[in-house]
Coordinates of all heavy atoms in Angstrom, one line a residue:
T573 N -9.9 -5.0 59.9 CA -10.0 -6.3 60.7 C -9.8 -7.5 59.9 O -9.9 -8.6 60.4 CB -11.4 -6.3 61.4 OG1 -12.4 -6.2 60.4 CG2 -11.6 -5.3 62.4
Y574 N -9.5 -7.3 58.6 CA -9.4 -8.5 57.6 C -8.5 -9.6 58.2 O -8.8 -10.8 58.3 CB -9.0 -8.0 56.2 CG -8.6 -9.1 55.3 CD1 -9.6 -10.0 54.8 CD2 -7.3 -9.4 55.0 CE1 -9.3 -11.0 53.9 CE2 -6.9 -10.5 54.2 CZ -7.9 -11.3 53.6 OH -7.6 -12.3 52.8
S575 N -7.2 -9.2 58.5 CA -6.2 -10.2 58.8 C -6.6 -10.9 60.1 O -6.6 -12.2 60.2 CB -4.9 -9.4 59.1 OG -3.9 -10.3 59.4
Q576 N -7.1 -10.2 61.1 CA -7.5 -10.8 62.4 C -8.6 -11.7 62.2 O -8.6 -12.8 62.8 CB -7.8 -9.6 63.3 CG -8.0 -9.8 64.7 CD -8.7 -8.6 65.3 OE1 -8.6 -7.5 64.8 NE2 -9.5 -8.9 66.4
R577 N -9.6 -11.3 61.4 CA -10.8 -12.2 61.3 C -10.4 -13.5 60.5 O -10.9 -14.6 60.9 CB -11.9 -11.5 60.4 CG -12.6 -10.4 61.2 CD -13.7 -9.8 60.3 NE -14.9 -10.5 60.2 CZ -15.8 -10.3 59.2 NH1 -15.7 -9.3 58.4 NH2 -16.9 -11.0 59.2
C578 N -9.6 -13.4 59.5 CA -9.2 -14.5 58.7 C -8.4 -15.5 59.6 O -8.7 -16.7 59.6 CB -8.4 -14.2 57.5 SG -9.3 -13.4 56.2
L579 N -7.4 -14.9 60.3 CA -6.5 -15.8 61.1 C -7.2 -16.6 62.2 O -6.8 -17.7 62.4 CB -5.4 -14.9 61.6 CG -4.3 -14.5 60.6 CD1 -3.4 -13.4 61.0 CD2 -3.5 -15.7 60.1
R580 N -8.2 -16.0 62.7 CA -9.0 -16.7 63.7 C -9.5 -18.0 63.2 O -9.5 -19.1 63.8 CB -10.1 -15.8 64.2 CG -10.2 -15.8 65.7 CD -11.3 -14.9 66.1 NE -12.1 -15.7 67.2 CZ -13.3 -15.4 67.5 NH1 -14.0 -14.5 67.0 NH2 -13.9 -16.2 68.4
R581 N -10.1 -17.9 62.0 CA -10.7 -19.1 61.4 C -9.6 -20.0 60.8 O -9.7 -21.3 60.9 CB -11.6 -18.6 60.2 CG -12.4 -19.7 59.6 CD -13.4 -19.2 58.6 NE -13.9 -20.2 57.8 CZ -14.9 -21.0 58.1 NH1 -15.5 -20.9 59.3 NH2 -15.4 -22.0 57.3
I582 N -8.6 -19.4 60.3 CA -7.5 -20.2 59.7 C -6.8 -21.1 60.7 O -6.6 -22.3 60.5 CB -6.4 -19.3 59.0 CG1 -7.0 -18.6 57.8 CG2 -5.1 -20.0 58.7 CD1 -6.3 -17.4 57.4
W583 N -6.5 -20.6 61.9 CA -5.8 -21.4 62.9 C -6.7 -22.6 63.4 O -6.2 -23.6 63.7 CB -5.4 -20.5 64.1 CG -4.0 -20.0 63.7 CD1 -3.7 -18.6 63.5 CD2 -2.8 -20.7 63.6 NE1 -2.3 -18.5 63.2 CE2 -1.8 -19.7 63.3 CE3 -2.4 -22.0 63.7 CZ2 -0.4 -20.1 63.0 CZ3 -1.1 -22.4 63.5 CH2 -0.1 -21.4 63.1
K584 N -8.0 -22.4 63.4 CA -8.9 -23.5 63.8 C -8.8 -24.6 62.7 O -8.8 -25.8 63.0 CB -10.3 -23.1 64.0 CG -10.4 -22.2 65.2 CD -11.8 -22.0 65.7 CE -11.9 -21.0 66.7 NZ -12.5 -19.7 66.2
A585 N -8.8 -24.2 61.4 CA -8.7 -25.2 60.3 C -7.3 -25.8 60.3 O -7.2 -27.0 60.0 CB -9.0 -24.5 59.0
E586 N -6.3 -25.0 60.7 CA -4.9 -25.6 60.7 C -4.9 -26.7 61.8 O -4.3 -27.7 61.6 CB -3.9 -24.5 61.1 CG -3.7 -23.5 60.0 CD -2.8 -24.0 58.8 OE1 -2.1 -25.0 59.0 OE2 -2.8 -23.4 57.8
R587 N -5.5 -26.3 63.0 CA -5.5 -27.3 64.0 C -6.2 -28.6 63.6 O -5.7 -29.7 63.8 CB -6.2 -26.7 65.3 CG -6.1 -27.7 66.5 CD -7.3 -27.5 67.5 NE -8.5 -28.0 66.9 CZ -8.9 -29.3 66.8 NH1 -8.2 -30.2 67.3 NH2 -10.1 -29.6 66.3
F588 N -7.4 -28.5 63.0 CA -8.1 -29.7 62.6 C -7.4 -30.5 61.6 O -7.3 -31.7 61.7 CB -9.5 -29.2 62.1 CG -10.3 -30.3 61.5 CD1 -10.8 -31.3 62.3 CD2 -10.6 -30.4 60.1 CE1 -11.6 -32.4 61.8 CE2 -11.4 -31.4 59.6 CZ -11.8 -32.4 60.4
S589 N -6.8 -29.8 60.6 CA -6.1 -30.5 59.5 C -4.9 -31.2 60.1 O -4.5 -32.4 59.7 CB -5.7 -29.6 58.4 OG -6.8 -28.8 58.0
W590 N -4.1 -30.6 61.0 CA -3.0 -31.2 61.6 C -3.4 -32.4 62.5 O -2.8 -33.5 62.4 CB -2.3 -30.1 62.5 CG -1.4 -30.7 63.6 CD1 -0.1 -31.1 63.5 CD2 -1.8 -30.9 65.0 NE1 0.3 -31.6 64.7 CE2 -0.7 -31.5 65.6 CE3 -3.0 -30.7 65.7 CZ2 -0.7 -31.8 66.9 CZ3 -3.0 -31.0 67.0 CH2 -1.8 -31.6 67.6
W591 N -4.5 -32.2 63.2 CA -4.9 -33.3 64.1 C -5.4 -34.5 63.3 O -5.0 -35.7 63.6 CB -6.1 -32.8 64.9 CG -6.9 -33.9 65.6 CD1 -6.5 -34.6 66.7 CD2 -8.1 -34.5 65.2 NE1 -7.4 -35.5 67.1 CE2 -8.4 -35.5 66.2 CE3 -9.0 -34.2 64.2 CZ2 -9.6 -36.3 66.1 CZ3 -10.2 -35.0 64.1 CH2 -10.4 -36.0 65.0
L592 N -6.2 -34.3 62.2 CA -6.6 -35.5 61.4 C -5.5 -36.1 60.7 O -5.4 -37.3 60.5 CB -7.7 -35.0 60.4 CG -8.6 -36.1 59.8 CD1 -9.3 -36.9 60.9 CD2 -9.6 -35.5 58.9
T593 N -4.5 -35.3 60.3 CA -3.3 -35.8 59.6 C -2.5 -36.7 60.6 O -2.1 -37.8 60.3 CB -2.4 -34.7 59.1 OG1 -3.2 -33.9 58.2 CG2 -1.2 -35.2 58.4
S594 N -2.4 -36.2 61.8 CA -1.6 -36.9 62.8 C -2.3 -38.3 63.2 O -1.7 -39.3 63.4 CB -1.5 -36.1 64.1 OG -1.0 -34.8 63.8
L595 N -3.6 -38.2 63.2 CA -4.4 -39.4 63.6 C -4.4 -40.5 62.5 O -4.4 -41.7 62.8 CB -5.9 -39.0 63.9 CG -6.8 -40.1 64.3 CD1 -6.4 -40.6 65.6 CD2 -8.3 -39.5 64.4
M596 N -4.4 -40.1 61.2 CA -4.7 -41.0 60.2 C -3.4 -41.6 59.5 O -3.5 -42.5 58.7 CB -5.6 -40.4 59.1 CG -7.0 -40.0 59.7 SD -7.9 -41.4 60.5 CE -8.2 -42.4 59.1
H597 N -2.3 -40.9 59.6 CA -1.1 -41.3 58.9 C -0.1 -42.1 59.7 O -0.1 -42.1 60.9 CB -0.3 -40.1 58.3 CG -1.1 -39.4 57.2 ND1 -2.2 -38.6 57.5 CD2 -0.9 -39.4 55.9 CE1 -2.6 -38.1 56.4 NE2 -1.9 -38.6 55.4
R598 N 0.7 -42.9 59.0 CA 1.8 -43.6 59.6 C 3.0 -42.7 59.6 O 3.5 -42.3 58.5 CB 2.1 -44.9 58.9 CG 2.9 -45.8 59.7 CD 2.9 -47.3 59.2 NE 3.8 -48.0 60.1 CZ 3.4 -48.7 61.2 NH1 2.1 -48.6 61.6 NH2 4.3 -49.3 61.9
F599 N 3.5 -42.3 60.8 CA 4.7 -41.5 60.9 C 5.9 -42.4 61.2 O 5.7 -43.6 61.6 CB 4.6 -40.5 62.1 CG 3.7 -39.4 61.8 CD1 2.3 -39.6 61.7 CD2 4.1 -38.1 61.6 CE1 1.4 -38.5 61.4 CE2 3.3 -37.0 61.3 CZ 1.9 -37.2 61.2
P600 N 7.2 -41.9 61.0 CA 8.3 -42.8 61.3 C 8.3 -43.4 62.7 O 8.7 -44.5 62.9 CB 9.5 -41.8 61.2 CG 9.0 -40.8 60.3 CD 7.5 -40.6 60.5
D601 N 7.7 -42.7 63.7 CA 7.6 -43.2 65.0 C 6.2 -43.8 65.4 O 5.9 -43.9 66.6 CB 8.0 -42.1 66.0 CG 7.1 -40.9 65.9 OD1 6.2 -40.9 65.1 OD2 7.2 -40.0 66.8
T602 N 5.4 -44.1 64.4 CA 4.0 -44.6 64.7 C 4.1 -46.0 65.3 O 3.2 -46.3 66.1 CB 3.1 -44.6 63.5 OG1 3.0 -43.3 63.0 CG2 1.7 -45.1 63.8
A603 N 5.0 -46.8 65.0 CA 5.1 -48.2 65.5 C 5.0 -48.2 67.0 O 5.4 -47.2 67.7 CB 6.3 -48.8 65.0
G604 N 4.5 -49.2 67.6 CA 4.5 -49.4 69.0 C 3.5 -48.4 69.7 O 2.3 -48.4 69.4
F605 N 4.0 -47.6 70.6 CA 3.2 -46.7 71.4 C 2.3 -45.8 70.5 O 1.1 -45.7 70.7 CB 4.1 -45.8 72.3 CG 3.4 -44.9 73.2 CD1 2.9 -45.4 74.4 CD2 3.2 -43.6 72.9 CE1 2.2 -44.6 75.3 CE2 2.5 -42.8 73.8 CZ 2.0 -43.3 75.0
G606 N 2.9 -45.2 69.5 CA 2.2 -44.3 68.7 C 1.0 -44.9 68.0 O -0.1 -44.4 67.9
Q607 N 1.2 -46.2 67.6 CA 0.1 -46.9 66.9 C -1.0 -47.2 67.9 O -2.2 -47.1 67.5 CB 0.7 -48.2 66.3 CG -0.4 -48.9 65.5 CD 0.3 -50.1 64.7 OE1 1.5 -50.1 64.6 NE2 -0.6 -50.9 64.1
R608 N -0.7 -47.6 69.1 CA -1.7 -47.9 70.1 C -2.5 -46.6 70.4 O -3.7 -46.7 70.6 CB -1.1 -48.5 71.3 CG -0.5 -49.9 71.2 CD -1.6 -50.9 71.1 NE -1.1 -52.3 71.0 CZ -0.6 -52.9 69.9 NH1 -0.7 -52.2 68.7 NH2 -0.1 -54.1 70.0
I609 N -1.8 -45.5 70.5 CA -2.5 -44.3 70.8 C -3.5 -43.9 69.6 O -4.6 -43.5 69.8 CB -1.5 -43.1 71.0 CG1 -0.7 -43.3 72.3 CG2 -2.2 -41.7 71.0 CD1 -1.5 -43.2 73.6
Q610 N -3.0 -44.1 68.4 CA -3.9 -43.8 67.2 C -5.1 -44.7 67.3 O -6.3 -44.3 67.1 CB -3.2 -44.1 65.9 CG -2.3 -43.0 65.4 CD -1.8 -43.2 64.0 OE1 -1.9 -44.3 63.4 NE2 -1.2 -42.1 63.4
E611 N -4.9 -46.0 67.6 CA -6.0 -47.0 67.6 C -7.0 -46.6 68.7 O -8.2 -46.7 68.5 CB -5.5 -48.4 67.9 CG -4.8 -49.0 66.7 CD -4.0 -50.3 67.0 OE1 -4.0 -50.7 68.2 OE2 -3.3 -50.8 66.1

Side-chain angles (χ1 to χ4, degrees):
T573 53
Y574 169 72
S575 182
Q576 191 192 333
R577 285 179 82 192
C578 288
L579 284 164
R580 228 181 131 199
R581 187 172 166 83
I582 289 160
W583 274 111
K584 292 194 191 105
E586 290 284 345
R587 186 210 67 81
F588 175 65
S589 306
W590 158 83
W591 167 76
L592 197 56
T593 302
S594 309
L595 180 65
M596 298 305 291
H597 290 76
R598 196 164 176 90
F599 285 72
D601 61 355
T602 300
F605 184 81
Q607 184 167 350
R608 290 288 185 276
I609 292 289
Q610 278 189 349
E611 286 165 6

